[in-house]
Amino acid sequence: MLPLQRKSNKDKSLLRRYGEHKLKQQGRKAAKRIAKKGAKVAAKAVKVVAKKFVAVLAKVMAWIVGAVGIPAVLIGLCTIIALIVISLAWSYMLGTGEGLTGHDKEIHQYIVEQSNSTVNMNSKIERPYRVPVPLIAATIQLEAFEKNDDIKEIIRKMASALAPTFDYGEYDQWREKQVTVCEDGKCSVGKVQHTKNMVTKLNSVDYWNGSTQFKYTRHITKWNKKTKVTYKTIKVPSIEYVEKEEEQTTTKEKCEKVKNEKVCKTVTTTEIVKKKVPTVVMKDKKIKVKTITKTRQQYFTSEKTTTSDYTTLDAILNSFGLGIKDKSLIEANYLFMGGQMAYTEWLQTMGGGSFNGGDFFDGTIIPGGGVPPQYMPIYRSAEKKYGVDWYILAAIHFVETGFSTHPTMISSVGAVGHVQFMPATWVGWKYNIGGGVVPSTLDITSLAVIASGGGYGRDGNNDGKADPWNMDDAIHTAAYYLSRSNYKTDPRNAIWHYNHAEWYVNKVLANAEKFKNAATYEGGGDKPQLKPGSFMRPAVGPISSPFGYRWGSTHYGTDIASGGKSSVPIVASADGVVSRSYLSSSYGNVVFIKHKLNGQDYETVYAHMNNRAVAAGQNVKQGQFLGYMGSTGNSTGVHCHFEIHKPIWTINKAYAINPALLVEF
């Protein structure tokens, strides 16, 4: 299609008749499917639909009006309502399992099984984030999957792609205790006893329709004092005077005259006397014992921030080739079964993310996915000048003219050139003589004519002309048009303005994603030295935070700072296969790579990147460019957060090892 294209009455008539035909056709098919389940089941489901019908009718009617047109809605209203009721009823049964038997019941049970497998069902934290059974049921009942022989593979793929990712952290809720004992007025102060108490808390979770991030604030309680008074009896020494009997011996000299002579002799006498003698005795004494116990602890309060984001859901639905009509019907079915969703509103405002994230990759890009390499210099030149990603330009080129392989490259309504511009859009609508056509005598390649008319035509190869049939001019003009349509802030809306159709946006973004992921990125700044047979540094720069205890929890990786440089490349630390590549609320733009090194399995993580140049399932070589350093996710500055796990990464990071043990930093 083309920017600002206008449809003729004939086109509208054809569209209306096509819409009526499709509605009747889908209605007949859906009716046959529901009829197989039995009249009672159908009647029960339709009663449920009647109660909830008004809540979802507006959304479903919206996509019908957009996809078919108001005249068709008015003419085929009964068919439309019947189709809606049947679709909702079928989704209800497939999602709840009510009334299903045989193969249909088996499919429902498989949906439940795959849904449960996306989380640890024994965890109260994880259970609420499992992929909803009604969401899968609302999707696979679409006509697009009706003849799919391997519907279980679709279910498994959907559950796997939408599975939530949890990021846990270890936090020390330590406790301290100090005991003071006072006996008989004398106090003994004990040492403070510190006891670690590591607990696991959820840092963030990414799920099918958004992400939630938890911020924990550390607090320390005041000392809590408890006093306990007891009494005890002790033995204490005491002096008592005890009366004791003792023998007391006295000696006296006794004299007498004998024959007029004095004769003396010594006389000893013994007698018993009583005396009080001091004696030490042990007596009971009751004393007061006061025990003062002081305790305090560290604890954390949390704040959570929730962001609505349907990027993951949109990507998996795009991979199934579903357009806005199918996506709107999925939302209606899901809402009918009690789910909460604002998917179609999100689609109107959100676009596909930019690879560069604002930085132009200054290395070499080797295209894949069928992109002709001879056009890469033109895509990249326009990308650098106007800030529109090369793979978006390649996707538009592909969707419009199959990379310029269409026989005439002139549309039925007069759009011309490699990327199909209406002449009036190219030179300016003041020259329009009807339907975007300009006078045949007007030189639409004249820069002066374009400037006067306010057209979008650009001179991409500096030859003094702006020619829609010249590849450089055409691609540069497409980039300029998108940039003027606010591609930088709202890429999806800018692409919508190129054609004014949601299916077109989805098709361009789906191909752009394929082209981006199929390309190989080389060069692009200073890189560390290769280390064949071992792990190499993933980026140059100083170590800003090593592996280990940090800020009350464990830092499971090594942080490499940018050192003040811009556009610092991050590379694969060893050969391997990309196991995950996505935007996380905590890790930001993150890539996981699985390795087999010296017979041992490892998995490395590269987080907070500004962008991602590889996709899941892609084989990478040591030193291959993964993306630029950034500060996405839960980050306080530009750096590369690098983890190594042996053998694999797990939610609680149970197998994390210090990268410094295997890498020379």
Side-chain angles (χ1 to χ4, degrees), residues 41-54:
V41 175
K44 181 178 180 180
V46 170
K47 285 181 181 179
V48 178
V49 172
K51 294 180 180 179
K52 300 184 178 182
F53 185 67
V54 176

Side-chain angles (χ1 to χ4, degrees), residues 83-385:
L83 172 60
I84 294 172
V85 173
I86 291 169
S87 177
L88 297 179
W90 177 253
S91 296
Y92 173 79
M93 290 191 297
L94 194 58
T96 62
E98 287 191 32
L100 297 180
T101 59
H103 180 69
D104 293 328
K105 185 175 182 179
E106 179 186 340
I107 292 299
H108 168 74
Q109 291 172 341
Y110 189 74
I111 294 174
V112 174
E113 175 188 322
Q114 290 300 307
S115 171
N116 291 345
S117 71
T118 60
V119 297
N120 177 6
M121 291 298 289
N122 293 322
S123 169
K124 292 181 179 179
I125 295 176
E126 294 192 7
R127 275 200 306 271
Y129 296 103
R130 68 172 179 163
V131 178
V133 168
L135 177 64
I136 300 176
T139 303
I140 66 166
Q141 66 87 33
L142 297 180
E143 185 183 5
F145 303 119
E146 185 178 338
K147 295 182 179 180
N148 196 302
D149 295 330
D150 197 4
I151 196 66
K152 287 188 176 181
E153 176 60 22
I154 299 294
I155 295 169
R156 188 205 61 76
K157 181 180 178 181
M158 192 171 181
S160 176
L162 299 179
T165 301
F166 300 91
D167 179 37
Y168 290 98
E170 294 292 322
Y171 295 84
D172 187 2
Q173 294 187 168
W174 52 256
R175 296 184 179 91
E176 288 185 338
K177 179 180 178 181
Q178 185 182 45
V179 179
T180 299
V181 178
C182 298
E183 294 185 358
D184 204 21
K186 295 180 180 180
C187 296
S188 174
V189 180
K191 293 182 178 181
V192 175
Q193 301 172 359
H194 183 94
T195 304
K196 293 182 69 173
N197 178 33
M198 302 304 294
V199 296
T200 300
K201 293 180 179 293
L202 181 61
N203 286 334
S204 63
V205 53
D206 296 276
Y207 39 91
W208 69 273
N209 62 341
S211 62
T212 298
Q213 186 168 324
F214 298 86
K215 178 182 178 182
Y216 296 97
T217 303
R218 181 171 63 98
H219 305 276
I220 299 176
T221 63
K222 294 180 179 180
W223 284 106
N224 180 36
K225 183 170 70 174
K226 290 184 178 180
T227 302
K228 183 179 181 181
V229 177
T230 58
Y231 294 89
K232 70 177 183 178
T233 301
I234 61 174
K235 298 288 187 181
V236 295
S238 178
I239 303 296
E240 291 186 356
Y241 289 88
V242 180
E243 191 176 67
K244 290 186 177 181
E245 291 182 344
E246 294 182 354
E247 288 184 350
Q248 186 173 339
T249 301
T250 58
T251 301
K252 293 182 181 181
E253 186 176 353
K254 188 176 181 181
C255 297
E256 61 182 355
K257 287 182 178 181
V258 178
K259 297 179 180 184
N260 293 322
E261 290 184 5
K262 186 178 179 179
V263 178
C264 295
K265 62 178 180 180
T266 300
V267 178
T268 301
T269 60
T270 300
E271 62 179 340
I272 301 300
V273 295
K274 292 182 178 181
K275 290 184 177 181
K276 288 188 176 181
V277 180
T279 304
V280 177
V281 296
M282 301 303 291
K283 285 190 174 182
D284 290 339
K285 181 181 180 181
K286 186 178 182 181
I287 63 172
K288 181 180 181 181
V289 180
K290 184 166 66 172
T291 303
I292 304 169
T293 303
K294 295 197 304 180
T295 58
R296 68 174 182 174
Q297 68 181 57
Q298 178 169 277
Y299 70 98
F300 297 86
T301 57
S302 66
E303 298 177 3
K304 70 177 183 178
T305 303
T306 298
T307 303
S308 179
D309 185 359
Y310 294 88
T311 301
T312 303
L313 176 64
D314 196 49
I316 187 66
L317 296 184
N318 283 341
S319 72
F320 294 146
L322 302 181
I324 186 65
K325 183 188 70 172
D326 288 327
K327 292 175 181 178
S328 298
L329 185 54
I330 289 171
E331 178 173 11
N333 290 337
Y334 185 65
L335 290 172
F336 170 70
M337 288 185 279
Q340 297 294 319
M341 184 186 283
Y343 179 33
T344 52
E345 285 85 349
W346 178 88
L347 284 171
Q348 302 301 321
T349 58
M350 300 300 292
S354 168
F355 159 73
N356 289 323
D359 290 335
F360 178 77
F361 179 66
D362 59 359
T364 301
I365 300 178
I366 303 172
V371 177
Q374 66 268 27
Y375 298 143
M376 284 299 295
I378 303 175
Y379 298 150
R380 302 224 57 212
S381 172
E383 174 188 45
K384 188 172 186 179
K385 187 169 184 178

Side-chain angles (χ1 to χ4, degrees), residues 500-665:
H500 290 186
E502 196 65 31
W503 67 263
Y504 180 85
V505 179
N506 291 330
K507 190 171 183 179
V508 168
L509 289 177
N511 281 283
E513 186 74 9
K514 181 181 72 172
F515 296 156
K516 178 183 72 172
N517 294 335
T520 300
Y521 301 82
E522 296 181 349
D526 295 335
K527 294 182 182 178
Q529 184 179 355
L530 296 176
K531 298 286 184 180
S534 62
F535 287 105
M536 66 178 285
R537 246 178 173 264
V540 297
I543 302 301
S544 57
S545 184
F547 180 96
Y549 188 77
R550 184 183 73 171
W551 305 336
S553 62
T554 303
H555 182 233
Y556 288 102
T558 296
D559 289 348
I560 305 172
S562 64
K565 297 181 180 179
S566 61
S567 299
V568 179
I570 297 173
V571 300
S573 188
D575 295 353
V577 179
V578 178
S579 51
R580 300 196 73 180
S581 176
Y582 70 109
L583 178 61
S584 162
S585 61
S586 56
Y587 278 136
N589 278 309
V590 62
V591 170
F592 292 65
I593 302 177
K594 289 186 176 181
H595 313 270
K596 176 75 77 171
L597 199 62
N598 300 320
Q600 177 63 52
D601 291 326
Y602 296 92
E603 190 164 16
T604 53
V605 180
Y606 312 77
H608 307 306
M609 295 192 293
N610 196 37
N611 42 56
R612 289 170 284 115
V614 293
Q618 185 174 338
N619 290 308
V620 294
K621 293 291 185 181
Q622 185 180 66
Q624 183 170 331
F625 178 77
L626 304 178
Y628 282 126
M629 260 191 206
S631 187
T632 57
N634 188 10
S635 170
T636 56
V638 177
H639 70 288
C640 169
H641 173 81
F642 177 58
E643 296 178 10
I644 298 180
H645 301 263
K646 179 182 179 183
I648 58 171
W649 180 90
T650 60
I651 289 174
N652 60 0
K653 302 180 184 178
Y655 304 120
I657 60 178
N658 188 346
L661 299 175
L662 300 174
V663 180
E664 294 181 14
F665 286 106

